[in-house]
Amino acid sequence: MESGSGREKVDQVSIPPEEPMPRRPRDPGVPQNPVQYFGKELRAYREATGLSRSELAKKIGYTPQWIGQIEAGDGSPSEELAQDCDTFFRTNGSFHRNWEWIQEVSQLDLLPPGFPEYLRLEGDAVSIHKFEAMQVSGLFQTSEYAYAQLIREHSHEKVKELVATRMRRQQLLEGEDAVHVVVVYDEYALRRPVGNAVIMQGQVQHLLDMMSRVNVTLQIVPRSQGAYAGDMGSFTILGLADGSNVAYEEGHVGGQLFRNCGIVRAFGVRFDLIRGVALSADASLRLLNEILESYERAGSDERPVADK
């Protein structure tokens, strides 16, 4: 080796083994989701103030390792961390708004494929025409009914989030700008027990209460009808503020939105055919009261069955 080279000095000098350097959290690059965006913003604010991760962690009461994970997008921030960041950096709530965004997206991720997009459109709808063949629809479910329905397939924690999402959806039915809903149920959807008789009593009573609202029309296709246009399954037609309509059809593992005018029109024709064999609103009200009485007779400890 030539004299004076850096390598020559290394060969001639004994260097004690170095302690391993702490692993530097990776830079996720362009954020791909709200968690990574939060981390990117945190890193930008920290570097703008000239603080190291250790210094920031000490000032706001967290470990440097946790700050590193958040900046790398490898951990989801807590609400407390978001509030602490807003206070320290004086961001007027931007970190907390980002945290709320993370919560909203995580809730959408729990939903079946196709449904998040439907929910976004449902929030903009001025009218909803819905046919339900198998169960009470989410817009009209009580929290107890929703929990009993979902707990069969999901963990307790996931069910709590899904139920909360359903309850928030029902705000569409409130206020001066409440969406107008026409819902038609197959009678078997209301006779099919979910949970126990107490849950079903509360659910049917809730439907009776909803029928008193001016923006809700509820009709029932009686089981005496036999075969009819609703045999193919449940679906929904949303009337949007811009005058357009979309249809949504549910499946076993997800749903599909239809925007094609011809297809949506076909769903509209089918809905009209279903309403044509449904009981009137007044007759449906009487039948719903009969169904409520059948659950009351069944008692809280027995599974109600359809009247024979």
Side-chain angles (χ1 to χ4, degrees):
M1 302 285 297
E2 295 182 2
S3 176
S5 71
R7 179 59 184 273
E8 181 180 12
K9 292 181 179 179
V10 171
D11 291 340
Q12 294 174 353
V13 178
S14 176
I15 300 177
E18 296 181 355
E19 294 184 3
M21 299 239 351
R23 182 181 177 185
R24 179 171 181 168
R26 64 178 177 82
D27 182 347
V30 178
Q32 301 297 312
N33 55 58
V35 171
Q36 291 181 4
Y37 182 82
F38 188 103
K40 197 81 170 179
E41 286 293 286
L42 177 57
R43 180 175 180 172
Y45 273 97
R46 176 181 61 77
E47 292 180 344
T49 58
L51 294 173
S52 67
R53 290 190 182 87
S54 296
E55 290 169 336
L56 175 62
K58 184 176 182 180
K59 287 180 179 294
I60 63 177
Y62 297 87
T63 67
Q65 293 79 8
W66 180 238
I67 296 298
Q69 289 179 30
I70 296 297
E71 289 188 357
D74 292 332
S76 183
S78 65
E79 183 176 17
E80 183 180 11
L81 174 60
Q83 292 169 336
D84 289 340
C85 289
D86 281 327
T87 300
F88 183 78
F89 294 113
R90 299 180 181 180
T91 56
N92 195 29
S94 64
F95 279 101
H96 192 266
R97 288 191 291 274
N98 197 337
W99 176 84
E100 291 177 333
W101 181 28
I102 292 171
Q103 307 314 303
E104 292 174 1
V105 171
S106 66
Q107 288 161 4
L108 291 178
D109 286 343
L110 294 171
L111 303 174
F115 198 59
E117 185 179 0
Y118 168 81
L119 284 184
R120 286 189 285 271
L121 291 172
E122 184 185 68
D124 296 330
V126 295
S127 67
I128 300 176
H129 291 73
K130 179 181 290 287
F131 169 67
E132 287 288 349
M134 301 297 293
Q135 62 189 14
V136 176
S137 49
L139 274 180
F140 293 96
Q141 290 179 358
T142 64
S143 58
E144 295 81 6
Y145 181 100
Y147 185 91
Q149 179 194 63
L150 294 166
I151 196 61
R152 296 170 296 179
E153 299 181 3
H154 305 289
S155 67
H156 173 71
E157 290 303 317
K158 183 173 181 179
V159 168
K160 285 174 59 178
E161 295 187 52
L162 289 170
V163 171
T165 298
R166 291 190 181 183
M167 296 304 104
R168 284 194 297 272
R169 286 175 61 200
Q170 296 179 8
Q171 295 175 3
L172 294 171
L173 303 171
E174 308 287 345
E176 296 181 358
D177 297 326
V179 64
H180 181 75
V181 182
V182 179
V183 58
V184 182
Y185 284 107
D186 187 291
E187 182 179 347
Y188 283 105
L190 307 175
R191 295 282 189 184
R192 181 172 292 103
V194 174
N196 58 35
V198 172
I199 290 175
M200 292 306 301
Q201 288 175 39
Q203 179 59 72
V204 175
Q205 182 60 59
H206 181 63
L207 292 176
L208 287 167
D209 295 340
M210 296 300 293
M211 291 184 73
S212 65
R213 300 191 181 193
V214 296
N215 61 309
V216 175
T217 300
L218 189 153
Q219 294 175 254
I220 303 173
V221 177
R223 58 191 173 187
S224 60
Q225 173 58 40
Y228 68 106
D231 289 345
M232 299 300 292
S234 305
F235 62 90
T236 304
I237 302 171
L238 300 178
L240 305 180
D242 63 3
S244 64
N245 296 305
V246 298
Y248 178 78
E249 188 173 34
E250 298 177 3
H252 284 275
V253 295
Q256 184 174 2
L257 274 170
F258 299 92
R259 301 174 184 270
N260 179 276
C261 294
I263 295 176
V264 175
R265 191 180 306 113
F267 275 107
V269 171
R270 185 168 292 272
F271 189 79
D272 289 342
L273 292 173
I274 293 171
R275 287 196 74 185
V277 299
L279 298 174
S280 68
D282 288 340
S284 295
L285 179 63
R286 291 192 292 272
L287 177 55
L288 200 55
N289 274 299
E290 292 176 11
I291 295 172
L292 176 62
E293 291 174 3
S294 73
Y295 284 119
E296 291 172 343
R297 291 195 302 269
S300 60
D301 296 325
E302 298 179 5
R303 290 178 62 85
V305 296
D307 294 340
K308 297 182 179 180

